[in-house]
Amino acid sequence: MDVKPTPPTLGVLSRLAPEPMKVILNWGRRYSLWVFNFGLACCAIEFIAASMSRHDFIRLGVIPFAPGPRQADLMVVSGTVTDKMAPAVKRLYEQMPEPKYVISFGACSNCGGPYWDSYSVTKGVDQIIPVDVYVPGCPPRPEALLQGILTLQDRIAAESTADRYAAPAPVAALTSDPVAPPPPPGKDSR
């Protein structure tokens, strides 16, 4: 039996925090992203290139190579995710503390890439974990990853903690009457 954990909730007072405090919290989260790179293929090399001196995404407030998922805020999935690797990706994502973000980096992690029709390839990492930003390309250039990070930082700056931790919307109930079943065979409907 698969039991889903309850989503984390915020207390009443944290929802009433003044707007300047929310701006400060979002600013801190925006410019201190510790990255857990889940590199599976050639896109991981481009991720490493983005962290080197030419592109240097540390200047954007992104700290590469967190010691593990429990110290990371951002997971960058780069490369082909196979069905055998999918449980490990999900487990590592679940180990990350809230708030956590995911960037899908490259065609293989976005939709399976050139291997989309293989029996063993997951057709996108978003089938396993929620993705915040997609970076297209095969492999994407380091500049594309920088643009993806800037996009994520803009989303972090605009998000509300109350909205992020809000309970999921209830499923709409059936409001109309169901369709009447057909009459049983052999009976005259006159």
Side-chain angles (χ1 to χ4, degrees):
M1 181 180 204
D2 188 23
V3 177
K4 293 187 178 187
T6 59
T9 57
L10 292 177
V12 174
L13 293 178
S14 63
R15 291 191 181 127
L16 300 175
E19 193 61 35
M21 184 56 117
K22 294 175 185 177
V23 170
I24 291 171
L25 290 174
N26 285 347
W27 178 83
R29 287 185 297 144
R30 179 181 186 182
Y31 292 117
S32 63
L33 291 171
W34 283 77
V35 179
F36 179 66
N37 181 25
F38 202 85
L40 297 166
C42 50
C43 292
I45 303 302
E46 297 297 321
F47 172 86
I48 294 168
S51 67
M52 295 298 152
S53 62
R54 179 172 183 161
H55 302 288
D56 189 25
F57 62 48
I58 295 175
R59 65 190 160 95
L60 300 175
V62 177
I63 299 97
F65 313 116
R70 290 187 175 96
Q71 291 83 22
D73 304 308
L74 170 63
M75 176 187 273
V76 177
V77 181
S78 52
T80 309
V81 180
T82 60
D83 292 340
K84 191 172 186 178
M85 187 59 72
V89 173
K90 184 174 175 97
R91 186 176 331 111
L92 290 171
Y93 174 78
E94 290 171 350
Q95 290 176 1
M96 292 172 61
E98 288 288 340
K100 51 189 168 185
Y101 308 98
V102 176
I103 292 179
S104 178
F105 185 59
C108 290
S109 63
N110 290 346
C111 63
Y115 312 108
W116 67 271
D117 60 348
S118 174
Y119 70 95
S120 63
V121 172
T122 303
K123 311 306 186 257
V125 74
D126 56 359
Q127 294 184 359
I128 307 164
I129 57 176
V131 174
D132 296 299
V133 176
Y134 296 90
V135 179
C138 185
R141 302 272 310 146
E143 293 87 358
L145 179 60
L146 295 178
Q147 182 62 41
I149 290 170
L150 291 173
T151 302
L152 178 65
Q153 288 178 335
D154 289 343
R155 289 185 184 176
I156 292 170
E159 79 181 3
S160 165
T161 52
D163 293 341
R164 182 166 180 85
Y165 297 105
V171 178
L174 183 63
T175 57
S176 63
D177 293 330
V179 178
K187 295 229 177 179
D188 193 8
S189 61
R190 288 188 241 174

